[in-house]
Amino acid sequence: VSWVTSASAMKASLTLMLQGERSDDVVTFAKECMYQVLHVMVGLNSIEGKPKTMTDLQGIWKEKVFDKFTSCFHEGLACAMRVMLRIGANCPANELEQWIEWHKEYNRYGTWINSVELLLDETQPAYLDCGMDHPNIIYHSVVSAFNDEDGFEVLNQVLDSTIFESLSADKQMDREQLFHCKVARLLKRISIRLRWAMEDLTEKGVGAKEGKAEQVEEVMTRVEELSKGAADWLSQRLNTAPDKLSNRGKAMDVELLDVLADLMGPEASINLANGLLAVSSLGTQQAGLKLARQLRAQGGDMEVAFVDLPKDFLAKTVERFSGEGEELVKQLLGAQVVNKRSIVDTFDELDELMVTDTDKIAVCQVWGEIGLRCMCTDDERTREIGVGLLDSLQRRQFAQQAKLTEAAEAVLDWMQETCNHE
């Protein structure tokens, strides 16, 4: 990505995409290229030197291009924000929903709402740091562009708060529902900030813009309507097909749960994670562990709610897969385990949740013991699962500290007995 070329492309797009008008060329450019450019410019990804902040990036530049490149970010990203909002204002939601959502070449998402979310994420590297001589006000430029283009109303216009009314529990969620959930999540975050700002103005004796409070309340009502519809669908879906929430595989399932948790609020999010952990499918439980890890990272009540989860889940896993031979085969089938993937992903999540080295070693211990016992069965698929588990385990940091000698000797005894019998 060239900073000058990218900024010029954003400015040219804005020139063509006038307010209230549509430019098919700009829409095509944004659909095919915008997220990839923002991935680099806002996230500072794929850059030599791997800068973590704008300060790091500016430290790479030579003095003669410093001001020129810095202005590329200020102007380019502000123009990008305006372009995306004008597209949102002039393209129907059912068209925006169908934007390419997965770039195989780049291995990441690229929908319209993802680009808007990325631009408004103040934690992104391009918005961080810079010193007194060169203050980082790039994010302020982007937010100013958002406000100038009435971005709040554009998002409200795009949102379909009734999207779940036509989705029954026997149907998987598709990208249309995920799209509107993301729009609602962004509107919720902005609404909360607007409420804080209006409260601050009131305390200072300054009134908010006329009609703004009513607009925010109207939007929050619509967000809550979508959130309730999503929660009702999810509750019914978890009772019928908890391991297949979306039609785009596990990656979208996990993203979907993360978005819904943000929409539902703390208590409902905790209930959602616990609901996922309570089902029989290990794949769905892994999604519950991942969601719990994300929620726990927020601290406070979220952290307290899941403080005992890692050790409790590991103990239940030991009991759940404690069988040998045919009994273990049945236990794995009962958990809908047909290959190593769901077990490996689950143990990786547990490893992330564990705090101490001792607890991480315990995860490897259980991991190895299950893998070795899987090899002592007459079922070929279960033996393949065992081999796969051990192969994955050996690349984990604490694998060598697990005490698996006795379990490994049992495998050798079983193999010798089997060979003698044959």
Side-chain angles (χ1 to χ4, degrees):
V1 172
S2 163
W3 311 134
V4 175
T5 303
S6 297
S8 298
M10 302 302 182
K11 293 176 186 176
S13 297
L14 185 62
T15 301
L16 291 171
M17 194 78 181
L18 300 176
Q19 283 187 320
E21 298 182 12
R22 174 186 174 123
S23 168
D24 289 336
D25 289 339
V26 174
V27 172
T28 300
F29 164 74
K31 185 189 301 184
E32 296 181 358
C33 305
M34 181 65 82
Y35 189 80
Q36 311 310 321
V37 175
L38 296 178
H39 181 75
V40 178
M41 291 191 72
V42 180
L44 302 188
N45 295 292
S46 305
I47 300 174
E48 187 176 350
K50 299 182 178 179
K52 300 296 183 184
T53 66
M54 196 64 190
T55 308
D56 294 341
L57 179 61
Q58 290 177 331
I60 300 173
W61 297 340
K62 295 180 180 178
E63 186 176 350
K64 64 180 181 180
V65 298
F66 186 95
D67 292 337
K68 182 179 181 180
F69 283 180
T70 300
S71 66
C72 287
F73 279 80
H74 281 278
E75 298 172 10
L77 295 181
C79 286
M81 183 81 266
R82 292 180 184 276
V83 168
M84 297 309 290
L85 291 174
R86 291 183 186 184
I87 289 174
N90 290 284
C91 294
N94 59 7
E95 178 184 344
L96 298 176
E97 294 165 6
Q98 301 302 320
W99 278 30
I100 299 169
E101 63 178 18
W102 184 257
H103 291 266
K104 291 183 179 179
E105 181 181 355
Y106 299 102
N107 197 37
R108 56 181 175 267
Y109 290 97
T111 61
W112 177 84
I113 185 57
N114 283 19
S115 293
V116 178
E117 276 190 313
L118 186 60
L119 282 163
L120 288 175
D121 183 358
E122 63 182 352
T123 67
Q124 289 298 316
Y127 303 141
L128 302 180
D129 286 356
C130 289
M132 295 294 292
D133 293 337
H134 302 281
N136 189 342
I137 57 172
I138 298 173
Y139 184 68
H140 295 293
S141 299
V142 173
V143 172
S144 293
F146 179 84
N147 292 332
D148 289 346
E149 298 288 332
D150 202 3
F152 190 64
E153 180 55 34
V154 172
L155 289 169
N156 187 31
Q157 171 189 311
V158 170
L159 176 67
D160 181 358
S161 60
T162 65
I163 191 71
F164 283 94
E165 290 184 1
S166 59
L167 188 69
S168 55
D170 61 330
K171 295 179 181 178
Q172 296 171 304
M173 189 182 288
D174 203 348
R175 60 184 175 187
E176 289 85 354
Q177 287 81 29
L178 180 59
F179 173 90
H180 287 283
C181 284
K182 285 187 172 185
V183 174
R185 177 174 66 176
L186 188 53
L187 278 169
K188 179 180 178 180
R189 290 173 177 172
I190 296 171
S191 296
I192 291 172
R193 290 200 167 198
L194 286 173
R195 280 176 172 174
W196 290 343
M198 287 187 288
E199 289 173 1
D200 185 52
L201 287 173
T202 301
E203 290 178 1
K204 294 178 179 178
V206 181
K209 183 179 178 181
E210 185 178 353
K212 197 64 179 181
E214 291 77 9
Q215 182 189 27
V216 171
E217 292 309 313
E218 178 202 343
V219 167
M220 286 301 290
T221 299
R222 300 187 68 220
V223 169
E224 288 166 7
E225 179 185 9
L226 181 139
S227 179
K228 184 180 183 305
D232 291 344
W233 171 84
L234 184 60
S235 175
Q236 297 175 49
R237 184 70 186 180
L238 289 176
N239 291 326
T240 56
D243 58 328
K244 295 180 180 179
L245 300 179
S246 73
N247 60 0
R248 303 293 169 117
K250 183 176 290 186
M252 181 172 168
D253 282 4
V254 171
E255 184 182 22
L256 164 65
L257 291 170
D258 184 39
V259 174
L260 292 182
D262 284 344
L263 279 173
M264 291 177 181
E267 183 178 352
S269 298
I270 292 171
N271 292 337
L272 171 57
N274 288 331
L276 292 168
L277 292 165
V279 303
S280 60
S281 166
L282 189 64
T284 303
Q285 289 184 322
Q286 183 261 329
L289 285 173
K290 188 176 186 70
L291 179 59
R293 177 164 61 86
Q294 293 168 337
L295 295 175
R296 196 176 75 167
Q298 297 179 20
D301 292 341
M302 294 289 201
E303 184 176 9
V304 173
F306 300 108
V307 67
D308 297 323
L309 172 61
K311 292 183 180 180
D312 289 347
F313 190 90
L314 185 61
K316 290 178 181 177
T317 301
V318 171
E319 181 181 353
R320 187 180 190 186
F321 301 116
S322 60
E324 297 183 1
E326 185 61 28
E327 183 183 358
L328 179 59
V329 173
K330 292 179 180 178
Q331 289 172 340
L332 291 170
L333 288 175
Q336 299 179 31
V337 175
V338 295
N339 54 48
K340 70 168 185 176
R341 188 74 268 151
S342 60
I343 301 182
V344 170
D345 288 347
T346 299
F347 280 127
D348 277 339
E349 283 298 333
L350 267 180
D351 179 74
E352 290 286 341
L353 282 163
M354 294 298 187
V355 177
T356 68
D357 291 356
T358 301
D359 291 336
K360 290 178 179 290
I361 293 170
V363 172
C364 291
Q365 182 73 32
V366 176
W367 187 334
E369 289 176 352
I370 293 176
L372 288 165
R373 279 189 286 108
C374 282
M375 297 176 68
C376 301
T377 70
D378 295 328
D379 182 68
E380 182 177 356
R381 181 170 63 182
T382 303
R383 291 199 300 272
E384 290 178 354
I385 290 174
V387 172
L389 288 177
L390 295 175
D391 179 59
S392 299
L393 174 60
Q394 67 179 344
R395 293 187 290 274
R396 296 318 187 266
Q397 181 181 356
F398 295 95
Q400 299 303 318
Q401 298 180 50
K403 302 182 184 301
L404 299 171
T405 303
E406 184 177 342
E409 289 177 346
V411 175
L412 292 175
D413 292 342
W414 180 84
M415 292 177 66
Q416 185 174 9
E417 182 180 345
T418 301
C419 291
N420 291 337
H421 178 73
E422 293 181 354

